[in-house]
Amino acid sequence: MNALRKALVVGAMLGVGAGVGSALFVLVTPGEERIQAMLKEMPGQDPRSREETARNKRLVLATLQEAAATQENVAWRKSWVGGGGRSA
């Protein structure tokens, strides 16, 4: 009987802890309006920055595709814009 009572007390304490944690989580999470404002303030959300990021990704992808298609070690290149470079 004592073990059952301990188990019930432990279960109740865990339930209370979970309830308090959930209540605190609800209190500290921002509302939908605040979330939208935070997303607008994040860096990289303006069109110029997004275009620059997209351009960088295209350049990296092109470099990786070229490296996969050739036996040359593209890491030794002096100029990444065009072909050529130093030989090992």
Side-chain angles (χ1 to χ4, degrees):
M1 194 64 164
N2 196 17
L4 178 63
R5 183 170 185 260
K6 275 188 178 182
L8 288 175
V9 168
V10 168
M13 294 302 277
L14 288 174
V16 167
V20 169
S22 298
L24 289 174
F25 181 75
V26 168
L27 288 174
V28 298
T29 53
E32 187 65 29
E33 298 84 18
R34 179 69 184 136
I35 290 173
Q36 292 301 324
M38 287 168 48
L39 288 175
K40 287 180 184 175
E41 294 170 2
M42 288 178 65
Q45 294 299 316
D46 58 301
R48 184 178 56 85
S49 178
R50 282 196 307 259
E51 179 57 36
E52 183 179 342
T53 301
R55 180 180 173 275
N56 286 342
K57 286 182 181 180
R58 285 192 304 268
L59 288 173
V60 168
L61 181 62
T63 302
L64 289 174
Q65 287 174 339
E66 183 182 351
T70 184
Q71 292 296 319
E72 178 190 359
N73 186 355
V74 295
W76 286 96
R77 287 188 181 166
K78 290 182 181 178
S79 172
W80 285 75
V81 178
R86 67 180 192 207
S87 58

